[in-house]
Amino acid sequence: DAGVTQSPTHLIKTRGQQVTLRCSPKSGHDTVSWYQQALGQGPQFIFQYYEEEERQRGNFPDRFSGHQFPNYSSELNVNALLLGDSALYLCASTSGTGLTEAFFGQGTRLTVV
Amino acid sequence: GQQLNQSPQSMFIQEGEDVSMNCTSSSIFNTWLWYKQDPGEGPVLLIALYKAGELTSNGRLTAQFGITRKDSFLNISASIPSDVGIYFCAGVGRDDKIIFGKGTRLHILP
């Protein structure tokens, strides 16, 4: 049973560029949430997707957008990258919109130079 | 917004010692979660607490949901080398958003 898988594992981008990160949820899960984890900090909630719609959003600018596909996989897009966007981006999946007992992927380490 | 204060920030202990860490908040949470994160990995759920006053164990780990619903603690008994890592508390409010603490880094001295 595959857990949550994320790709790529590492990425280096230049300021101003755009990036797309991908997540496949754990088998049987239909809800995907994205988190940003800066170095030395806890994960911060970006948004949650359920039934192909954004259901909840944290305090992140519109440069952060996402999408969920019919197979429940999800993408996180970040436009106009800033140096401060460098972080570990985590995807978590659950069954339904409740966020308890979320299973996390190993994350994508994004470095903006 | 809601914030969690997790302490201590880091701990240096001898193998075999017991460990205690806690989280406090000015906000009420409906659920408390404790995660462990190893380097290069995502957080892994250790214990979930759903009711005020609840005390739950998972092997050598014990966690409690505070009566006021504003705090929680995690204890690890008889620490072993594989306990090294970062432990995060997380609270789930009425809006179902998970708020994470900043983590407690556990180091075990040889």
Side-chain angles (χ1 to χ4, degrees):
Chain A
D1 173 28
V4 179
T5 57
Q6 292 186 242
S7 64
T9 53
H10 295 82
L11 201 52
I12 300 175
K13 288 285 190 179
T14 305
R15 257 184 313 178
Q17 284 190 313
Q18 179 262 346
V19 69
T20 298
L21 311 181
R22 296 176 175 82
C23 172
S24 291
K26 179 179 167 61
S27 177
H29 285 184
D30 56 9
T31 303
V32 172
S33 301
W34 287 92
Y35 291 81
Q36 181 193 66
Q37 186 177 20
L39 204 59
Q41 301 293 319
Q44 289 206 309
F45 176 72
I46 302 175
F47 43 53
Q48 179 193 63
Y49 276 84
Y50 174 66
E51 293 185 337
E52 301 179 48
E53 288 188 8
E54 182 181 299
R55 295 291 175 160
Q56 295 217 44
R57 191 178 184 92
N59 295 325
F60 280 80
D62 292 344
R63 298 187 296 109
F64 290 78
S65 63
H67 189 76
Q68 185 178 36
F69 300 93
N71 67 353
Y72 309 122
S73 66
S74 176
E75 288 181 350
L76 164 66
N77 301 297
V78 187
N79 294 324
L81 284 166
L82 304 173
L83 294 180
D85 294 332
S86 296
L88 181 68
Y89 288 85
L90 294 162
C91 167
S93 74
T94 52
S95 178
T97 54
L99 288 180
T100 59
E101 303 197 35
F103 287 81
F104 283 83
Q106 67 181 62
T108 294
R109 172 71 64 187
L110 173 65
T111 302
V112 182
V113 298
Chain B
Q2 294 175 311
Q3 286 192 325
L4 294 184
N5 300 308
Q6 188 171 350
S7 65
Q9 282 188 320
S10 63
M11 304 181 73
F12 292 81
I13 63 167
Q14 299 282 349
E15 183 178 347
E17 286 186 11
D18 296 343
V19 171
S20 185
M21 59 190 79
N22 68 81
C23 262
T24 60
S25 175
S26 57
S27 304
I28 288 175
F29 289 100
N30 295 328
T31 299
W32 282 93
L33 307 169
W34 284 92
Y35 286 88
K36 179 174 184 268
Q37 187 173 27
D38 292 326
E41 302 290 329
V44 174
L45 182 68
L46 299 174
I47 292 179
L49 302 158
Y50 300 104
K51 278 174 34 177
E54 180 181 351
L55 183 71
T56 296
S57 293
N58 178 8
R60 293 178 296 105
L61 277 60
T62 301
Q64 184 158 30
F65 191 143
I67 290 290
T68 64
R69 295 166 64 193
K70 295 181 179 181
D71 62 315
S72 177
F73 72 74
L74 174 71
N75 289 338
I76 304 172
S77 62
S79 58
I80 59 178
S82 62
D83 291 334
V84 167
I86 305 175
Y87 292 80
F88 290 101
C89 64
V92 185
R94 279 185 294 179
D95 56 7
D96 272 351
K97 290 180 185 173
I98 299 181
I99 308 296
F100 282 85
K102 292 189 175 181
T104 294
R105 284 150 185 77
L106 181 61
H107 306 270
I108 297 185
L109 302 171

